[in-house]
Amino acid sequence: MEEKNIVKMLNKVDKILLSSIETNELFSSEVELKYGLERAAVINSARKLLSLGLLKIESITETVLRVTPFGKKYLKDGLPECRVFDFVKRNNLVEYKQLFFSVPMDKDELNAAIGVLKRLSAITIDGGKITPNLEKSAMVDGQNAVLQAVENGQEPNYEGVNDLIRRGIIERVNEIRDKFVITQTGLKILKDSEFDVDYIDKLSPSNIKDWKNLKLREYTEKPEILNSLSGKLNVKTKFISLIKDAMSSMGFVEMHSNYVESTFWNFDVMMFRQDHPDRDIQDTVYLNGGKAHVPAKLLKNVKEVYEKGFFSSKYNRSIGYRRKFDTSKSNSLIMRGHTTATTFRYIHDFISKNKDKPAKFFSVDKGFRNETMDNTHLLELYQIEGVVYDDNLTVSDLIGYIKQFYKKIGIEKIRLKPTYNPYTEPSLEIQAFSPKLKRWLEVGNSGVFRPETLKPFGITKNIVAWGFGMERMLNLKIGMADIRDLYGAYTDIDILREIESARVFSEF
Ligand code: PHE
C-alpha cells in the first residue's frame, strides 16, 4: 500500500497512538484514563497499525509486590502485631495472660505478633507484664500501611517489606507487560508532512468560500456511542408526524377533540341504534358519574330523523328507524371509541356553518376499546381519520383518496371490500397484503355518510370519510409481530433501537 493511503487511513486514535508512543510508551490499559479513548477502538487501531508494520509489541518483565492469598485476610482487620499493640496501648499495662482472653486471635498468631513487637522494641515484657513503647507507634502502624500500599499497587516506603515477605503476607512476582513500540517504517511515516495536515471538520462562512481547496476530514462510521447515548423519538411518534405531513400535503387540516366523549357524539349523531348490537362493535369504555353537555337543537334534529326520517326530495329521503329515541341516554360519558366522533364535531362546528366551502379535515388520534390485550390489540388505538366535503363527491372520489394516501405511505398492495357501518352507505373495508403473514389484513374502514347523519345539520351534499388503523399500518411497514413491542408498558427498548427509521420511511 502506498504510504499516502496508509496515512489517510489513520484516524484520530491511530494518530494519538503513534505520536504518543514516540515519546512515551503507551500501555493499552492506560489509554482510557489518559486520552479518554475507548479501549476497544485503540485495540483495533493498534491491530491495524501492527499489521501494517508501523507498530510492534515488545514484552517487558517487571517485578511487582502483591498481597498473597494468605495475606488478604489482614487487609480488613489489620496485621496481628498492630491489633495486639493497639490493645496494649489502650490499656497501658497488660498481663501477658490477659492477652489470650482479650484479643480474639489464635495462639500461634498471637505469639508471632508478640515476637514481632519485641523485635521492633515496641513492647517491654517484665515479669509477665507488658508495657507499650509509645515512640514505636508510627513504626508499628507503618506495617499496616505497607500492606495497604502493596494492595493498591503503590510503592511501599518502609523496610518492613522484607519482614512481610518472610511471613508470607506479601510476595514478589514477575509481571509481563506488553508495550507498543513504533517501528522504523512507522517513524518515517510519522515524519511525513501529510500526517500533519489539519483536516477541516467544521464548515464556516469564512472557509466555505474556498470550498474547492479545503481539505475536509472524511466521515468514517458513526461512533457506536452516539447510538446508545442520543435520545430518539419513538418510531410511532415519527410515523405519526410523517402521516400528518402526508395528510397536510394533500390539503387536509388537522382536527382535535377530547378523549372523553358523550354517547351523543360517539353514537347518536351517527345513527347508531340505541340498545342495538351496532354499539357493541366498539367495546365501549363507559365512565361513571358526570353528564355531557349536548347541543339541544341538534339533539332534537337527530331524534326526529331517527324516529321518522325525512323527505328532502324524491331522491333524498328516509323513513327513519320508526322507534323511540331516548334523549336521556345521549349524555353519558365514555372514552371516545373512534375519531369519527371528532369528525362529526367538525361537521357541526365548521362544515355546517360554511356549507358553500369545500373542506378537508384529518386527525391522527386515539380511540379506546375495552378489549383484551394481545399481540394485535391494545386498549387504545390510533386512527387516521379523514373527511372530505365538496360538490358532487362519489364513492370513486373516496377510493381515489384512499389509494393516494396508502401510496404515499408506501403500501401499494391494497384492496377494497363492501362492508357495513351504521353511518355510511356504501361502506368500504380496506385490506392490505402483509408479505410477512402472507395474507390480507383489515387496515381501515370508510364510506359515504348516510343522508340521515347529515340531515340534522342541514347538509345535503355528500361527505366521504375514512378511518385507518395506524398501528396496523406501521406493522406492515416494519414487519413487527407484536404490537406491544411498539409502545406501552411492555416495549423492549432494544427492539425500538433496531428499527431503522430511515429504512421504514424512505418512501415518503
Ligand atoms: N369509524 C370507523 C372505525 O372506527 C372508520 C370510519 C370512519 C368508517 C369514517 C367510515 C367513515 O373503524
Side-chain angles (χ1 to χ4, degrees):
M1 197 188 289
E2 257 188 275
E3 279 181 11
K4 235 166 88 186
N5 289 340
I6 297 172
V7 171
K8 248 176 139 183
M9 256 177 63
L10 301 174
N11 58 27
K12 184 181 163 210
V13 177
D14 302 321
K15 200 165 171 180
I16 288 174
L17 205 55
L18 275 174
S19 54
S20 56
I21 283 160
E22 201 183 17
T23 50
N24 142 22
E25 286 125 350
L26 186 72
F27 290 102
S28 59
S29 60
E30 287 164 11
V31 165
E32 274 175 54
L33 279 180
K34 226 166 155 181
Y35 300 104
L37 293 172
E38 250 190 282
R39 194 161 171 216
V42 175
I43 290 170
N44 274 340
S45 277
R47 233 186 247 139
K48 195 168 71 191
L49 294 173
L50 284 169
S51 71
L52 292 170
L54 306 179
L55 275 186
K56 62 184 177 187
I57 290 180
E58 270 178 16
S59 302
I60 54 159
T61 311
E62 259 177 15
T63 310
V64 292
L65 283 172
R66 191 173 74 179
V67 178
T68 62
F70 164 72
K72 289 272 188 217
K73 65 171 170 174
Y74 298 127
L75 280 170
K76 205 167 117 249
D77 300 339
L79 290 161
E81 61 268 33
C82 300
R83 288 166 62 198
V84 170
F85 189 62
D86 236 32
F87 184 82
V88 173
K89 254 196 318 191
R90 260 188 286 123
N91 295 283
N92 203 20
L93 184 77
V94 177
E95 290 268 350
Y96 187 77
K97 272 184 269 166
Q98 196 190 338
L99 275 179
F100 288 92
F101 301 110
S102 312
V103 185
M105 199 180 281
D106 76 51
K107 205 169 154 213
D108 291 345
E109 222 175 14
L110 187 64
N111 280 329
I114 291 169
V116 173
L117 291 173
K118 271 204 298 204
R119 196 153 23 84
L120 294 172
S121 315
I123 50 171
T124 322
I125 305 181
D126 191 10
K129 295 206 181 334
I130 306 175
T131 39
N133 194 353
L134 293 175
E135 312 100 79
K136 299 287 180 170
S137 278
M139 195 184 233
V140 178
D141 291 343
Q143 296 275 96
N144 267 338
V146 170
L147 192 62
Q148 291 300 337
V150 170
E151 176 67 7
N152 298 333
Q154 295 150 351
E155 190 62 36
N157 58 357
Y158 177 63
E159 65 271 17
V161 165
N162 284 334
D163 186 40
L164 292 183
I165 292 176
R166 202 171 33 74
R167 289 160 63 196
I169 294 171
I170 59 178
E171 61 185 346
R172 283 185 209 284
V173 287
N174 286 339
E175 227 179 55
I176 299 174
R177 292 208 194 177
D178 290 333
K179 268 182 189 176
F180 291 121
V181 182
I182 191 160
T183 61
Q184 286 303 316
T185 335
L187 274 175
K188 203 172 134 253
I189 287 183
L190 255 190
K191 284 197 212 101
D192 191 321
S193 63
E194 270 256 12
F195 200 79
D196 292 328
V197 170
D198 262 334
Y199 288 100
I200 292 181
D201 40 23
K202 266 197 196 107
L203 288 174
S204 68
S206 54
N207 66 20
I208 202 167
K209 284 181 206 144
D210 192 28
W211 64 273
K212 271 190 181 163
N213 298 319
L214 292 183
K215 279 193 180 279
L216 295 173
R217 186 177 299 288
E218 276 178 34
Y219 262 110
T220 50
E221 264 174 89
K222 184 177 170 194
E224 187 54 37
I225 193 151
L226 284 187
N227 285 328
S228 56
L229 291 185
S230 55
K232 280 185 183 170
L233 293 176
N234 183 294
V235 60
K236 172 215 72 180
T237 311
K238 276 193 189 173
F239 192 52
I240 289 176
S241 74
L242 287 164
I243 290 167
K244 289 185 176 181
D245 287 351
M247 292 303 293
S248 303
S249 78
M250 286 162 68
F252 286 75
V253 175
E254 190 172 359
M255 313 184 272
H256 300 276
S257 75
N258 296 328
Y259 293 158
V260 175
E261 190 48 280
S262 63
T263 34
F264 177 77
W265 287 109
N266 202 77
F267 293 124
D268 299 341
V269 80
M270 278 165 250
M271 295 288 146
F272 276 78
R273 273 164 288 183
Q274 290 184 319
D275 304 317
H276 187 278
D278 274 355
R279 295 206 177 198
D280 299 336
I281 298 175
Q282 292 187 2
D283 302 307
T284 310
V285 182
Y286 283 87
L287 301 173
N288 283 335
K291 289 289 168 211
H293 166 75
V294 179
K297 189 170 163 239
L298 188 58
L299 181 63
K300 193 174 146 271
N301 294 350
V302 167
K303 180 180 164 72
E304 194 167 321
V305 172
Y306 186 100
E307 292 178 349
K308 302 182 201 130
F310 62 93
F311 189 94
S312 294
S313 73
K314 199 172 157 200
Y315 303 106
N316 190 8
R317 60 185 170 147
S318 168
I319 55 172
Y321 289 131
R322 285 151 290 139
R323 280 170 182 77
K324 277 262 158 269
F325 179 86
D326 181 357
T327 49
S328 75
K329 287 185 177 163
S330 294
N331 57 3
S332 304
L333 292 177
I334 59 168
M335 296 300 285
R336 171 172 80 200
H338 56 171
T339 48
T340 314
T342 316
T343 293
F344 272 84
R345 282 180 173 275
Y346 273 66
I347 288 176
H348 179 246
D349 292 347
F350 297 98
I351 298 180
S352 76
K353 296 191 169 124
N354 302 281
K355 293 205 183 71
D356 299 332
K357 268 204 216 156
K360 291 195 278 191
F361 292 113
F362 83 97
S363 71
V364 184
D365 219 331
K366 283 181 190 174
F368 299 85
R369 309 252 165 121
N370 192 8
E371 279 177 303
T372 314
M373 264 206 270
D374 62 23
N375 61 347
T376 53
H377 293 94
L378 294 173
L379 301 189
E380 51 184 70
L381 64 150
Y382 271 90
Q383 296 188 308
I384 303 158
E385 183 96 7
V387 51
V388 182
Y389 173 73
D390 208 340
D391 294 326
N392 307 319
L393 284 173
T394 67
V395 76
S396 303
D397 296 294
L398 175 63
I399 293 172
Y401 280 114
I402 293 168
K403 289 204 165 148
Q404 188 188 359
F405 179 75
Y406 275 92
K407 197 167 174 185
K408 249 184 187 310
I409 302 292
I411 297 174
E412 305 260 356
K413 217 166 164 187
I414 63 163
R415 70 183 186 190
L416 301 160
K417 169 187 160 257
T419 186
Y420 168 75
N421 288 317
Y423 45 98
T424 50
E425 183 59 40
S427 307
L428 297 173
E429 178 180 309
I430 300 125
Q431 299 186 338
F433 189 76
S434 161
K436 195 166 178 198
L437 301 174
K438 298 204 172 33
R439 63 182 171 92
W440 293 91
L441 296 177
E442 182 195 335
V443 293
N445 190 347
S446 66
V448 183
F449 284 134
R450 275 170 59 170
E452 289 93 333
T453 65
L454 301 180
K455 176 68 187 171
F457 301 95
I459 292 172
T460 49
K461 291 180 195 171
N462 275 346
I463 296 186
V464 298
W466 58 85
F468 307 145
M470 185 280 287
E471 286 85 357
R472 282 272 169 98
M473 197 179 282
L474 183 51
N475 273 11
L476 278 174
K477 295 287 296 176
I478 62 186
M480 221 173 221
D482 195 327
I483 209 163
R484 289 165 297 187
D485 287 339
L486 213 51
Y487 63 96
Y490 304 104
T491 49
D492 180 337
I493 198 133
D494 288 333
I495 294 186
L496 285 179
R497 282 215 174 99
E498 268 175 33
I499 303 169
E500 185 50 67
S501 45
R503 177 172 56 84
V504 175
F505 305 126
S506 54
E507 291 95 342
F508 272 88

